[in-house]
Amino acid sequence: MPVATMLLDKNFTIGKTHPRLFGAFAEHLGRCIYGGLFEPGHPTADDRGFRGDVLALVRELGPTIIRYPGGNFVSGYNWEDGVGPVEERPRRLELAWMSTETNRFGTNEFIDWCRAAEVEPMLAVNLGTRNGDAARNLVEYCNHPSGTYWSDLRRAHGWERPHGVKFWCLGNEMDGPWQMEAKTATEYGRIATEAAKLMRLVDPSIELAACGSSSRRMSTFGAWEQTVLEHTFDHVDYISLHTYLNNYADDTAAFLASPDLMDSFIEEVVAIADAVAAKRRSSKRIMMSFDEWNVWYRTRRGTEARVKPGWPVAPPILEEIYSMKDALAFGGAVLALLNHADRVRCACLAQLVNAIAPIMTETGGSAWRQTIFFPFAQMSRYGRGHVLRTQLASPTYDTRYYDPQSGNDLYFPIQGVPYVKASAVYDPDRHALNLFVLNRHLEEEIALTVSARGFAELEVEQAEELRDDDLDAVNSKEQPDRIKPGRLDGISIAKDTVRMSLAPASWNVIRLHAE
Ligand code: AHR
């Protein structure tokens, strides 16, 4: 059996996980809002139309902050369409996903839904077809108490108290040619700066995220971040990162290695942000907002991703069905985020319900958990605390990851991929040391020895594994519990050393009581 070792020390930390690291994303896209969060008439819906079964699953999933209303959608959105009397709201052609937007759900409904779900709202403003003027009006509508046109309009609409939205995204993926009114880095840098200034004049307490590249494979990646931050550095707190892992090549080993490119991506953007700071002799540190991440490929290209003419309302698009294999790659992404807790202060799983989502619903029917639900719920529940530096020694493999739309660079070689990828989070208040461990070996069990220096009286509180002999197995309406975590047995502890055996192709979460 191959062996791996992990060394950690109670006092050697990377950083404390910020609660916003465990966020998600809800876009006006397919059935995410309509038929997902919001379905008046559904047997579990309340008088506002919020599906109770979805709310219960969201609470179990444990996201802390939700990004809204897009995504690509926001670049053509007039926020004023979604407030005020519902019967007066316009129906619009929605050009990002080629559907009809009824505007029955808008900003105020979203805030109410966030309160019901006990999550923080995050709003994105339209810097595609609109600019700083619409953005500052939205900040005034949401956050100003009263006595002005926009704040009094909110009150007249029935929301007396300000929404107090703290986290704002300055547009979405403005580097992407598919984006409505995409921009060059200089154009975007200027517009984002001016929008940020206006928004902060209205409410100085808000936090702002500038758009980074829409993926690491964009030909403008790097130069985009540099130029955008040269413009926005003094006006923003975060730069965004987006990644969707894929298995187009049907190469499981490469797919499971791909989260390591997220590690590289984060480190590269941090380096660029700090280089911009260095040129200014500034001690300010721009933080990373990884505000779209997930696995997504089956419904990404081809006919499903963009709806045919007919302009349907809430069509079932991007309804990716996640397999066991996808949950493993997803777990790898969780590890990349946890292990950069010092600089990734916000992250959003894209998305929440139905569209590339951990929660699926049937319109008028039931709701269930996809395979990726579990690593996220575990990350949110057990990832609170200090991420410890881990020194891993594991057998490795070399692979090539196929990532299309990258010009000539379709294959990314990844050398020396450790079969074991892991993260350790220590919460002194709860006396908890939580280990998150992925075994990427597809055939072999791996014997892992963890030396937890500085810890005494370690005891297993709970140990779970997510695995299945069939890596293509999925959950469905008919079999909602086909894939779910099971017990991981056989863990032994001697003083500060923990030994376990990791099943091939498995995601493991070991919770230790630790003093
Ligand atoms: O999450 C789906 C889409 O992916 C978002 O709308 C966009 O920002 C990204 O390209």
Side-chain angles (χ1 to χ4, degrees), residues 218-239:
M218 297 296 289
S219 60
T220 47
F221 166 59
W224 172 274
E225 279 75 4
Q226 164 112 22
T227 305
V228 166
L229 284 174
E230 297 280 8
H231 284 281
T232 58
F233 187 85
D234 293 327
H235 305 279
V236 303
D237 309 287
Y238 303 84
I239 184 142

Side-chain angles (χ1 to χ4, degrees), residues 25 27 29 71-72 97 172-173 178 244 292 296 350-351 356:
F25 174 32
E27 178 169 359
L29 189 186
N72 296 337
W97 304 105
N172 175 70
E173 294 191 349
W178 58 87
Y244 292 99
E292 288 188 31
W296 176 23
Q351 299 198 5
I356 45 172

Side-chain angles (χ1 to χ4, degrees), residues 269-291:
V269 179
V270 165
I272 296 165
D274 291 354
V276 174
K279 279 172 74 180
R280 295 164 179 253
R281 284 89 172 146
S282 170
S283 60
K284 174 174 174 178
R285 288 294 171 263
I286 298 287
M287 294 299 163
M288 306 295 114
S289 176
F290 217 121
D291 52 33

Side-chain angles (χ1 to χ4, degrees), residues 235-282:
H235 305 279
V236 303
D237 309 287
Y238 303 84
I239 184 142
S240 72
L241 297 86
H242 291 181
T243 292
Y244 292 99
L245 305 175
N246 82 77
N247 193 13
Y248 288 122
D250 197 14
D251 177 343
T252 307
F255 181 36
L256 299 190
S258 65
D260 293 11
L261 297 177
M262 276 175 72
D263 293 290
S264 307
F265 188 23
I266 294 166
E267 287 155 24
E268 288 156 359
V269 179
V270 165
I272 296 165
D274 291 354
V276 174
K279 279 172 74 180
R280 295 164 179 253
R281 284 89 172 146
S282 170

